[in-house]
């Protein structure tokens, strides 16, 4: 809706014009700024918005780098993890440390987007040099009918194209998380026999935790534990990493379930995670692990819907694979370096 207001008023074209010279330094055009700003909300419609870029090289760089922008799906993860290690202190009555940390994560996304774009600029070749040709309309009072129609048509396209992918992915992960072997099936009986004095709510929470641990998704989390241990993660965080492939914000709900928390309210999760200890008696979510987790979610392409939309827009398994692999590698090594330096 807000983008439609900018377009109808004539200011969107001016944003494109003003940013063109800057974006050219990174192998993109002024038109790339629209998908990048949109990527702060969601990478899926942002990648679709790159259709307006005529130059194939500039369009491809925009598509490959836009998911590095901090989308709204990362915010629940940032809010919970930042609250674990950053004190809620304020300076001069204005600067809150947790707020500054959140802003820093946004800046990290922007800087990495530009650095990767600059790298791709030297590797990708183009047959022609593009020049920005754009109509510069007069400033106009937005027509509310046009604004509403544009917002409706774009929202409908997103729901229809991306919604099917999100639904299918969520169903697969739900099936994996709600099915398992004998230990999964016998969780309820085990809790009732071993912990008969617990309240019904506590028993239900423990059953959910045991079932998730022994579900097919839990088995997958344990299978990747050797690969993620150098990052400071255990199998429980591994489950969250796998489940959040559907959507990054699933991380919060998954950690809520695995740690037997009955509410998705962030402070409850924070307090419980802060008290978790590993086998050595040290906090599971210490500074090193928390920073590692923040960087992993900042760079990893934890969104299969974005992968599918990238393939849909590029019609190339090659570039879709390159995007997923480079972002995963970037996230892994950034998290690895952070943990090893801070532990």
């Amino acid at each position: 809706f807000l983008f439609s207001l900018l377009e109808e008023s004539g200011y969107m074209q001016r944003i494109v014009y003003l940013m063109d010279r800057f974006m050219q330094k990174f192998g993109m055009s002024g038109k790339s700024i629209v998908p990048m700003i949109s990527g702060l909300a969601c990478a899926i419609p942002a990648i679709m918005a790159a259709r307006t870029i005529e130059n194939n090289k500039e369009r491809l760089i925009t598509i490959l780098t836009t998911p590095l922008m901090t989308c709204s799906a990362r915010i629940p993860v940032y809010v919970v993890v930042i609250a674990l290690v950053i004190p809620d202190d304020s300076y001069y009555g204005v600067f809150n440390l947790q707020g500054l940390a959140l802003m820093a994560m946004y800046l990290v996304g922007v800087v990495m987007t530009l650095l990767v774009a600059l790298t791709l600029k030297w590797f990708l070749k183009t047959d022609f040099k593009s020049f920005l040709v754009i109509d510069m309309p007069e400033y106009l009072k937005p027509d509310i009918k046009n604004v509403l129609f544009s917002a409706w048509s774009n929202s409908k396209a997103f729901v229809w194209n991306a919604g099917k992918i999100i639904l299918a992915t969520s169903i697969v992960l739900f099936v994996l998380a709600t099915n398992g072997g004998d230990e999964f099936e016998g969780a309820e009986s085990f809790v009732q026999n071993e912990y008969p004095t617990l309240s019904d709510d506590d028993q239900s929470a423990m059953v959910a935790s045991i079932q998730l641990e022994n579900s097919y998704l839990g088995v997958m989390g344990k299978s990747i534990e050797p690969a993620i241990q150098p990052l400071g993660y255990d199998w429980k965080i591994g489950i969250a990493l796998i489940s959040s492939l559907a959507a990054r914000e699933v991380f919060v709900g998954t950690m809520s379930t695995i740690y037997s928390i009955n509410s998705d309210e962030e402070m409850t999760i924070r307090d419980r995670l802060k008290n978790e200890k590993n086998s050595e008696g040290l906090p599971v979510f210490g500074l090193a692990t928390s920073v590692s987790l923040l960087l992993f979610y900042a760079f990893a392409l934890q969104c299969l819907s974005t992968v599918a939309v990238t393939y849909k827009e590029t019609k190339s398994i090659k570039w879709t694979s390159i995007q997923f692999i480079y972002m995963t590698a970037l996230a892994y090594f950034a998290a690895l370096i952070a943990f090893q330096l801070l532990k």
Side-chain angles (χ1 to χ4, degrees):
F1 176 77
L2 294 175
F3 267 105
S4 299
L5 284 177
L6 290 174
E7 290 172 352
E8 280 288 309
S9 67
Y11 191 68
M12 184 66 77
Q13 287 84 343
R14 286 163 173 81
I15 295 175
V16 170
Y17 171 74
L18 291 171
M19 294 300 298
D20 184 65
R21 180 175 295 181
F22 176 79
M23 299 302 290
Q24 287 284 348
K25 298 177 182 179
F26 298 94
M28 296 180 282
S29 74
K31 293 182 179 180
S32 300
I33 197 66
V34 177
M36 289 181 67
I37 295 174
S38 181
L40 292 172
C42 180
I44 295 171
I47 290 173
M48 293 177 178
R51 295 174 183 174
T52 59
I53 304 172
E54 296 86 359
N55 185 294
N56 289 332
K57 176 182 176 180
E58 295 171 351
R59 179 171 178 266
L60 184 58
I61 292 177
T62 303
I63 290 174
L64 293 179
T65 58
T66 293
L68 286 168
M69 298 293 287
T70 299
C71 66
S72 59
R74 291 179 169 100
I75 294 177
V77 182
Y78 290 169
V79 167
V80 172
V81 178
I82 286 174
L84 291 174
V85 291
I86 305 296
D88 188 18
D89 296 334
S90 297
Y91 293 96
Y92 307 108
V94 177
F95 301 105
N96 180 271
L97 286 182
Q98 293 181 348
L100 291 174
L102 182 59
M103 185 180 73
M105 296 310 300
Y106 273 90
L107 294 177
V108 164
V110 173
V111 171
M112 189 55 67
T113 299
L114 296 177
L115 288 176
V116 173
L118 188 62
T119 303
L120 292 173
K121 175 185 177 181
W122 300 111
F123 283 98
L124 298 179
K125 305 298 180 183
T126 185
D127 296 330
F128 64 94
K129 179 176 175 60
S130 66
F131 297 90
L132 181 65
V133 180
I134 187 171
D135 291 329
M136 197 67 72
E138 295 180 1
Y139 282 117
L140 301 171
K141 182 180 179 180
D143 187 314
I144 191 63
K145 290 183 179 179
N146 291 342
V147 170
L148 292 175
F149 178 78
S150 177
W152 165 254
S153 60
N154 282 289
S155 300
K156 182 180 178 182
F158 167 73
V159 171
W160 182 248
N161 292 319
K164 293 182 291 185
I165 302 165
I166 295 172
L167 178 62
T169 306
S170 299
I171 290 173
V172 171
L173 290 175
F174 175 78
V175 171
L176 291 174
T178 54
N179 290 276
D182 294 337
E183 292 182 347
F184 177 92
E185 299 295 339
E188 188 171 353
S189 300
F190 172 79
V191 172
Q192 289 176 350
N193 293 332
E194 295 294 324
Y195 305 96
T197 59
L198 290 179
S199 65
D200 291 342
D201 289 341
D202 289 338
Q203 283 190 354
S204 297
M206 184 170 289
V207 168
S209 178
I210 294 174
Q211 286 183 331
L212 184 58
E213 178 180 351
N214 293 283
S215 67
Y216 296 125
L217 194 61
V219 173
M220 293 169 65
K222 289 184 177 180
S223 67
I224 68 170
E225 189 173 33
I228 61 177
Q229 272 185 337
L231 310 184
Y233 309 156
D234 57 12
W235 67 269
K236 295 178 181 179
I237 300 178
I239 291 177
L241 294 180
I242 295 173
S243 64
S244 58
L245 282 171
R248 295 176 181 92
E249 61 268 34
V250 174
F251 172 88
V252 177
T254 303
M255 297 306 290
S256 171
T257 303
I258 195 67
Y259 284 107
S260 303
I261 304 169
N262 292 320
S263 171
D264 275 359
E265 201 273 315
E266 279 78 2
M267 293 303 104
T268 303
I269 296 172
R270 182 200 65 177
D271 294 339
R272 182 59 184 267
L273 297 185
K274 185 174 287 189
N275 293 328
E276 284 298 317
K277 307 291 183 182
N278 58 24
S279 57
E280 300 175 355
L282 299 174
V284 173
F285 293 91
L287 177 63
T289 301
S290 298
V291 172
S292 171
L293 203 56
L294 286 172
L295 290 176
F296 187 90
Y297 272 90
F299 301 141
L301 188 55
Q302 294 289 94
C303 182
L304 291 180
S305 303
T306 301
V307 176
V309 170
T310 296
Y311 174 73
K312 184 176 182 296
E313 293 297 313
T314 61
K315 300 294 190 297
S316 170
I317 294 179
K318 170 188 171 182
W319 290 115
T320 304
S321 302
I322 287 175
Q323 183 190 55
F324 185 82
I325 292 171
Y326 99 75
M327 289 186 68
T328 302
L330 180 63
Y332 186 90
F333 287 107
L336 175 66
I337 293 171
F339 179 75
Q340 295 300 325
L341 289 176
L342 296 174
K343 70 176 182 178

